[in-house]
Amino acid sequence: MTGGTAKSRPHRVTRSSASRSVLIIAALGTLMSCLVCGLMRMREAQLARDEFRNAAGTCDYAVRREIETNLAATHIVRGYINATAELNEAGFSRFAEEAIQANPSILTLEWVEHLRAAGRAAFESGLKARGINPPYIRSNLLIPPRAAKAKDIYEPVRFVYPRDNIDRIAGYDMATSPTISAEIDLAARTGEPIVGSKIRLVEKTRDGLGLPVFLALRAPNAELRGFALIIFQLGEVLEKGLRDLKPEPIDIQFFDLSAPATKQFLYQHQWLRGGTKIVFRTEAEALAPADFKQVAWLSAGGRNWAIVMTATEKYLSARRTWQPWFFGLCGLLLTAAVARHNLRNIADARREEELIYLRELKDAEQALRQSEARYSLAAEGSKDGLWDWHLGSGKIYYSPRWKSMLGFADEEIGDTTDEWMRRIYPRDRERVERELAEHRAGQTDHFQSEYRVRHRDGTYRWFLTRGVAVRDSDGMATRMAGSQTDITDSKAADHLTGLASRLLLNEKLHLAIDLAGSDSRRNFAVLFIDLDRFKIINDSFGHTAGDMVLVQIADRLTSCAQRPDMSACEITTARVGGDEFVLLVGRTGESCGATDLAKLILEALAPPLRLLDNQVFVSASIGIRIGEAGTTPESLLQDADTAMYHAKARGKDRFEVFTPAMRSLAVERLRCETDLRRAIESGGMVLHYQPKVCLVTGVVAELEALVRWPHPTRGLIPPAEFISLAEETGLILPLGKWVLDTACRQMAAWHAQFTDNPRMRISVNVSAKQFTQPLFLSEVMSVLSATGLAPEHLSIEITESVLMENTESTLELLHKLREAKIGLQIDDFGSGYSSLNYLHRFPVNALKIDRAFVRELGIRPENAQIVETIVMLARTLGMSVIAEGVETVEQLRHLSGLGCDYAQGHLFSPPLDSDRVVQLFDGFSSFLGQSVPATSASSPATTR
Ligand code: C2E
Ligand code: CA
Ligand code: CA
């Protein structure tokens, strides 16, 4: 019995405990299944949210970068207008066409003039001359046009490119619209590019919307000149930023928060075109925080923007899987099966369940890995490294590319920020940390920093790191992600010439200043080199040729720096701007050798450069600043630049050493301009005359009028010191007119007084600016009739560059001068870039061989060849040849031998004032070792 009881009890116990276990298992199984399902769903949602934030962050960043790049591009317009002394339609159109080609997001470029009432008539006659219809300032863009009412200030469009709607746009007074007027005001006040509110375009574009950007331009005296208006195709700009990203069903909308409420919605990204879109009716609705929605703020061009990114239903559903439900269901089914059929296999059921759980875990893990793989795939695709920093945990993900950029394999760098920070160059680190903190605190729109990082090989590389923070609804940064780009090459070397870049130079300057501070025997100097007339090369041969010239110049500078006589010096050669170079030279002990180096450079630049089968001459002006401890690189460069301007002002092709007095150069220039204006207006200028002697007869065939400025304190100032100032300020026009008038009057008087050389002519230098004035010819004719000088007794000297610019209209003018019997001579021939092939087209009487060839006649045999070639060419074209700057008998003999017709130079006479020049009228036959009657002279201008 006892045994039976004993036997049955365990059985009963087993059974009841088994059924309890079954219940427990059933309950636990159900609970587990639900739990697994719930956990998996949460995990899925978390992954989707992370992915969404990533994608949104990338979009935000891409759009931001595009908008900022485009705004920065507006500065080239400022550069162009500042560099152009006189705007004209053809030049503007050419520039605009190039700008649009370079940046197709630009739709239209306009030049809006800031006009006072007094300028209205002139402006309108300008419209008329250009054939604009209607030719007056208008207050509407519509038809019929309405003339603007009289007021103090107008802001009318002067030029517009493309010209398709020019009749509607040119002449439109922008200040008519109160909104635009306010935007223009802001642009004038800040000097920054200012984005206007969106405008509907006449032109057909992707979305018909334009984004105007205004940029104010001021004259050197700070007076407002007008505005460059650049209209971007909004759609193009935004789409361009997003073009390279993988399309995701995320809705992206742009709002302009600075516009009135009804006009804030700007644009919706095209990924959603045709699909369902989410429409926010009010700004508040658009900006309200929500799950799977991210709002990014951007302040640019004086406006506040919001970029609203929302995950669409499609996006979310693509990230929901059946897995949680499946596993949940499996769990339940299994639980039921276990409970009903297999009471004794509880252990098995448990094992089964464990198995399921493990499987589920594995699946979740796989999903995670997949999303990581996608992430690193994107990162590997670009040459940039990526980083993603979870601010809560402090953990940071570096992409394999990020690590390899520092020379490390994926597993060699961990996931702490220290891996990043401790490799930053100590002098940069504090700044980077500060910039990161500022962005985290919301003080900047995005993080961007350039700094040096220690590579595994011990060298430092320059990296550009950018990133944006993801913020929660309270604005707290929860995460930060971004990219890392290696910019070492662009930092250290100039791409075109391979010389050091401005940045590298800056570092070397810091070093030189520090060295000089710690060692008093350490000397250094900065040479600032600017090419003379480089613009002419660029304009006549094109930019590619200009680049070729720069490369050759860089080579010559490098070989100067490497010469054995400079071996005691450490020299860094850098290119810091278009045609600007800087050499940093340093030496311990003696003076740093800067002036020796400058002389070497001027010599090295003297021989012509080869350029597309032509020879071109390039000289340079050099400013030297002797370095000292306690200065800054910026101030050293600034001073060297000032000295360079001094060298330019004193006639170019030379160097000047900086002195503090030069700092007042700008002030000095202004004073000089005022003095010069007064001198010209009050008849305070004088002419000197230099003879051109016929080498056959020894007779003075012609006198060249050369202007001088008798200054009350500075003495007689030579033209090299004020002609370029006069050209830049426009004073050359009244000055040129005075010279022409005085020279003609004087020659007419001499003709009346001395009758034995009745064919003697006067030649007058005419600068390009004067020559291209529309009224030039009629001015010359009226001077001739007022002074009574016969046209055949006047020659005009112009330089080659005048012929090369604007050839067609120049050609017409030259023919008219020829018809009027006025002579024409090409001054400084051979130093410019005129193509000999074209010379036959121009009705020219004589070529004046540049002084540089004459000077080195005996020294460089190739110069004799050049002179010979010029003489032959002139013969073929029926022109005569005049050699200028003849100083020695030796040179004279050479020139005669080569067949030169006329000579001018100190050997015969320097330029003399009108009283003394009379004594020369007897001629120079004694020089030529022969005696010829003076009256038989022909003159340079009548040979042809
Ligand atoms: P340029 O037309 O080439 O004038 C010749 C310059 O060479 C003159 O300098 C003259 O004094 C100088 N010269 C003449 N013979 C010799 C010589 O044997 N040796 C040397 N070393 N120099 C010699 P200047 O008078 O100082 O004029 C410089 C430049 O200023 C002129 O060069 C010309 O381009 C410009 N210029 C002078 N007067 C006027 C003017 O009325 N209008 C314009 N637009 N430019 C002028
Ligand atoms: Ca001349
Ligand atoms: Ca000359």
Side-chain angles (χ1 to χ4, degrees):
M1 280 294 274
T2 333
T5 320
K7 239 185 172 179
S8 64
R9 258 179 78 184
H11 185 72
R12 252 198 332 261
V13 168
T14 311
R15 246 207 339 231
S16 70
S17 71
S19 61
R20 223 181 306 135
S21 309
V22 169
L23 266 176
I24 294 171
I25 287 167
L28 271 179
T30 313
L31 198 73
M32 282 278 248
S33 306
C34 294
L35 204 71
V36 165
C37 178
L39 276 175
M40 282 180 78
R41 289 196 61 198
M42 268 165 67
R43 162 133 228 141
E44 226 173 56
Q46 189 53 44
L47 281 173
R49 206 167 283 125
D50 284 358
E51 254 183 71
F52 169 70
R53 283 206 197 122
N54 252 331
T58 320
C59 293
D60 165 26
Y61 172 62
V63 169
R64 210 175 269 275
R65 194 164 55 177
E66 198 55 38
I67 289 178
E68 277 164 8
T69 313
N70 275 301
L71 284 184
T74 58
H75 286 283
I76 58 161
V77 182
R78 183 184 340 232
Y80 166 74
I81 292 173
N82 276 343
T84 312
E86 271 183 33
L87 286 175
N88 60 44
E89 181 157 37
F92 183 84
S93 294
R94 222 176 307 125
F95 166 76
E97 189 182 349
E98 247 173 56
I100 292 178
Q101 250 165 30
N103 183 353
S105 311
I106 300 179
L107 186 73
T108 305
L109 264 153
E110 294 175 23
W111 169 241
V112 180
E113 202 128 300
H114 182 73
L115 198 66
R116 290 180 192 289
R120 179 169 179 170
F123 183 90
E124 292 185 335
S125 65
L127 289 180
K128 190 163 183 190
R130 285 161 53 208
I132 308 284
N133 177 30
Y136 48 79
I137 297 183
R138 272 157 294 126
S139 62
N140 65 346
L141 276 170
L142 305 171
I143 298 166
R146 218 170 338 117
K149 290 198 198 78
K151 51 184 187 163
D152 292 341
I153 301 274
Y154 304 90
E155 319 275 2
V157 178
R158 184 155 157 217
F159 301 132
V160 49
Y161 186 89
R163 301 159 42 99
D164 308 345
N165 291 297
I166 194 161
D167 280 341
R168 281 177 68 182
I169 298 169
Y172 171 60
D173 178 16
M174 290 261 169
T176 316
S177 149
T179 322
I180 298 183
S181 190
E183 288 158 3
I184 284 182
D185 265 4
L186 187 63
R189 262 183 288 124
T190 58
E192 290 294 316
I194 292 299
V195 179
S197 43
K198 67 174 173 185
I199 45 179
R200 272 244 152 250
L201 298 171
V202 191
E203 294 84 352
K204 285 215 166 27
T205 64
R206 196 196 286 275
D207 58 344
L209 282 183
L211 192 67
V213 180
F214 297 94
L215 188 66
L217 270 129
R218 291 180 182 279
N221 65 2
E223 203 173 299
L224 189 59
R225 288 178 64 191
F227 303 87
L229 165 58
I230 303 125
I231 301 182
F232 288 102
Q233 303 184 43
L234 182 59
E236 273 301 322
V237 172
L238 300 175
E239 300 295 343
K240 196 162 134 218
L242 297 167
R243 200 167 294 156
D244 297 335
L245 303 183
K246 191 177 68 175
E248 292 269 17
I250 297 181
D251 179 53
I252 307 178
Q253 294 182 31
F254 301 89
F255 291 85
D256 171 6
L257 304 183
S258 309
T262 51
K263 292 196 174 161
Q264 288 188 338
F265 173 75
L266 283 183
Y267 190 73
Q268 183 163 31
H269 177 50
Q270 62 154 5
W271 286 340
L272 268 197
R273 284 286 152 83
T276 39
K277 63 179 177 186
I278 302 160
V279 179
F280 301 110
R281 266 166 301 273
T282 61
E283 177 197 338
E285 202 179 305
L287 305 187
D291 208 11
F292 289 101
K293 170 160 152 189
Q294 194 158 318
V295 181
W297 313 91
L298 167 63
S299 293
R303 292 189 100 74
N304 293 318
W305 304 53
I307 307 169
V308 181
M309 291 156 285
T310 323
T312 59
E313 190 45 43
K314 189 171 167 205
Y315 182 92
L316 294 176
S317 66
R319 275 152 191 81
R320 271 186 224 121
T321 66
W322 46 267
Q323 285 172 351
W325 301 108
F326 175 75
F327 287 114
L329 198 68
C330 281
L332 285 176
L333 285 175
L334 275 167
T335 310
V338 168
R340 211 156 8 122
H341 301 295
N342 211 346
L343 287 174
R344 275 167 302 179
N345 287 347
I346 294 166
D348 284 356
R350 267 202 199 124
R351 219 179 303 138
E352 183 81 15
E353 211 146 318
E354 252 167 35
L355 219 75
I356 295 167
Y357 183 65
L358 279 176
R359 242 194 3 239
E360 168 258 305
L361 268 181
K362 229 162 106 189
D363 266 60
E365 216 179 279
Q366 201 179 347
L368 182 68
R369 234 183 269 127
Q370 257 172 10
S371 94
E372 270 175 2
R374 206 172 313 146
Y375 194 34
S376 67
L377 217 63
E380 273 164 22
S382 79
K383 42 189 205 347
D384 294 351
L386 296 181
W387 51 276
D388 186 349
W389 182 9
H390 291 254
L391 299 172
S393 67
K395 292 237 182 305
I396 183 162
Y397 162 82
Y398 302 108
S399 71
R401 174 73 192 136
W402 190 99
K403 296 172 187 171
S404 72
M405 286 165 82
L406 278 80
F408 292 94
D410 197 17
E411 63 282 359
E412 287 176 303
I413 285 191
D415 58 0
T416 61
T417 48
D418 190 47
E419 298 274 15
W420 177 6
M421 294 301 147
R422 73 187 159 88
R423 293 191 168 88
I424 298 181
Y425 184 60
R427 270 227 310 244
D428 296 345
R429 178 168 171 172
E430 196 186 315
R431 173 173 53 84
V432 176
E433 285 176 337
R434 190 186 63 237
E435 287 164 347
L436 273 170
E438 281 169 0
H439 180 62
R440 280 179 66 171
Q443 292 162 10
T444 51
D445 308 337
H446 64 280
F447 166 72
Q448 170 159 345
S449 190
E450 292 182 359
Y451 55 89
R452 284 154 289 189
V453 172
R454 199 180 58 251
H455 190 268
R456 182 179 215 163
D457 64 14
T459 61
Y460 276 95
R461 306 278 165 97
W462 274 98
F463 283 171
L464 163 66
T465 292
R466 301 196 247 215
V468 279
V470 174
R471 299 179 193 278
D472 61 17
S473 50
D474 300 330
M476 277 289 286
T478 54
R479 190 171 153 187
M480 235 179 122
S483 62
Q484 165 180 282
T485 315
D486 189 330
I487 52 168
T488 313
D489 288 346
S490 66
K491 282 284 183 187
D494 168 48
H495 279 303
L496 178 66
T497 59
L499 297 181
S501 66
R502 182 181 270 274
L503 215 107
L504 187 63
L505 174 74
N506 222 35
E507 254 171 51
K508 299 254 179 179
L509 278 168
H510 269 300
L511 209 68
I513 294 167
D514 289 351
L515 261 178
S518 57
D519 177 357
S520 61
R521 284 160 30 86
R522 183 77 196 174
N523 289 302
F524 74 101
V526 180
L527 280 71
F528 199 107
I529 304 171
D530 187 283
L531 302 185
D532 302 327
R533 300 185 300 180
F534 179 68
K535 194 175 166 300
I536 303 182
I537 300 185
N538 247 351
D539 292 351
S540 358
F541 294 106
H543 288 270
T544 317
D547 283 353
M548 285 159 71
V549 168
L550 292 175
V551 170
Q552 293 186 55
I553 297 287
D555 283 348
R556 292 193 186 181
L557 293 179
T558 312
S559 43
C560 283
Q562 288 169 350
R563 276 172 58 129
D565 40 346
M566 297 305 298
S567 65
C569 303
E570 278 164 41
I571 301 177
T572 304
T573 311
R575 184 167 82 115
V576 297
D579 62 339
E580 293 169 346
F581 298 86
V582 169
L583 271 73
L584 166 65
V585 49
R587 176 158 58 180
T588 305
E590 303 158 60
S591 78
C592 60
T595 49
D596 294 340
L597 183 58
K599 282 178 203 154
L600 284 181
I601 291 171
L602 292 177
E603 262 171 40
L605 296 184
L609 298 169
R610 294 208 65 63
L611 184 61
L612 317 167
D613 288 340
N614 292 290
Q615 290 197 327
V616 298
F617 289 84
V618 177
S619 62
S621 302
I622 306 179
I624 301 178
R625 167 68 155 101
I626 306 294
E628 54 195 71
T631 46
T632 62
E634 295 75 31
S635 75
L636 287 175
L637 287 173
Q638 177 76 55
D639 291 347
D641 187 44
T642 305
M644 185 277 292
Y645 267 104
H646 235 77
K648 281 220 191 283
R650 308 189 108 192
K652 305 182 178 163
D653 195 11
R654 57 184 289 146
F655 68 87
E656 291 290 332
V657 180
F658 174 80
T659 61
M662 287 182 183
R663 285 212 185 96
S664 48
L665 183 72
V667 185
E668 183 58 31
R669 251 179 77 89
L670 198 67
R671 187 176 317 138
C672 195
E673 185 189 333
T674 319
D675 287 358
L676 181 61
R677 186 182 304 275
R678 203 167 300 142
I680 294 170
E681 281 165 5
S682 65
M685 307 298 283
V686 296
L687 284 187
H688 281 192
Y689 300 89
Q690 190 179 29
K692 294 178 191 171
V693 177
C694 172
L695 292 189
V696 179
T697 61
V699 156
V700 176
E702 192 166 281
L703 293 174
E704 178 177 4
L706 293 157
V707 69
R708 269 100 186 88
W709 175 15
H711 192 275
T713 53
R714 290 164 61 192
L716 202 62
I717 305 178
E721 287 181 32
F722 62 86
I723 290 289
S724 64
L725 177 70
E727 280 170 346
E728 281 163 34
T729 52
L731 284 174
I732 194 71
L733 299 180
L735 176 64
K737 189 158 186 292
W738 177 85
V739 169
L740 188 68
D741 188 83
T742 312
C744 290
R745 198 173 298 281
Q746 179 67 73
M747 189 41 81
W750 278 330
H751 277 165
Q753 198 179 346
F754 305 98
T755 45
D756 50 348
N757 192 351
R759 295 163 77 176
M760 196 194 290
R761 305 169 60 100
I762 183 90
S763 71
V764 173
N765 293 284
V766 171
S767 78
K769 204 159 184 181
Q770 216 181 330
F771 193 75
T772 47
Q773 284 291 305
L775 293 178
F776 177 69
L777 183 69
S778 62
E779 220 175 80
V780 174
M781 297 316 287
S782 68
V783 165
L784 286 175
S785 74
T787 57
L789 188 74
E792 55 268 35
H793 288 145
L794 171 67
S795 291
I796 278 169
E797 295 190 14
I798 56 171
T799 55
E800 288 165 276
S801 54
V802 178
L803 295 187
M804 296 311 290
E805 282 166 24
N806 233 337
T807 343
E808 286 316 313
S809 55
T810 307
L811 197 60
E812 201 184 317
L813 175 58
L814 293 179
H815 278 292
K816 285 188 180 150
L817 287 169
R818 161 60 56 97
E819 276 165 35
K821 298 204 172 97
I822 295 168
L824 194 82
Q825 302 177 4
I826 307 297
D827 208 351
D828 306 339
F829 189 78
S831 69
Y833 313 104
S834 62
S835 165
L836 298 182
N837 304 333
Y838 288 117
L839 203 58
H840 69 271
R841 293 179 56 198
F842 301 113
V844 166
N845 301 96
L847 304 178
K848 290 189 77 177
I849 300 177
D850 191 56
R851 209 159 65 220
F853 299 112
V854 175
R855 186 171 53 213
E856 291 179 352
L857 254 188
I859 307 165
R860 285 178 201 273
E862 67 265 27
N863 276 354
Q865 254 172 35
I866 294 175
V867 174
E868 206 174 345
T869 313
I870 296 177
V871 173
M872 258 162 53
L873 178 81
R875 288 280 164 278
T876 323
L877 299 175
M879 302 171 183
S880 25
V881 177
I882 306 167
E884 60 179 4
V886 182
E887 292 179 347
T888 64
V889 178
E890 170 85 292
Q891 289 166 346
L892 178 65
R893 220 170 276 142
H894 239 105
L895 290 160
S896 291
L898 290 170
C900 236
D901 304 291
Y902 302 89
Q904 178 186 17
H906 291 173
L907 177 64
F908 300 103
S909 164
L912 300 172
D913 61 31
S914 52
D915 292 339
R916 282 189 297 159
V917 80
V918 175
Q919 296 159 13
L920 302 175
F921 286 3
D922 285 344
F924 290 91
S925 33
S926 58
F927 266 109
L928 306 166
Q930 51 191 299
S931 146
V932 185
T935 42
S936 69
S938 66
S939 70
T942 51
T943 313
R944 194 173 177 184

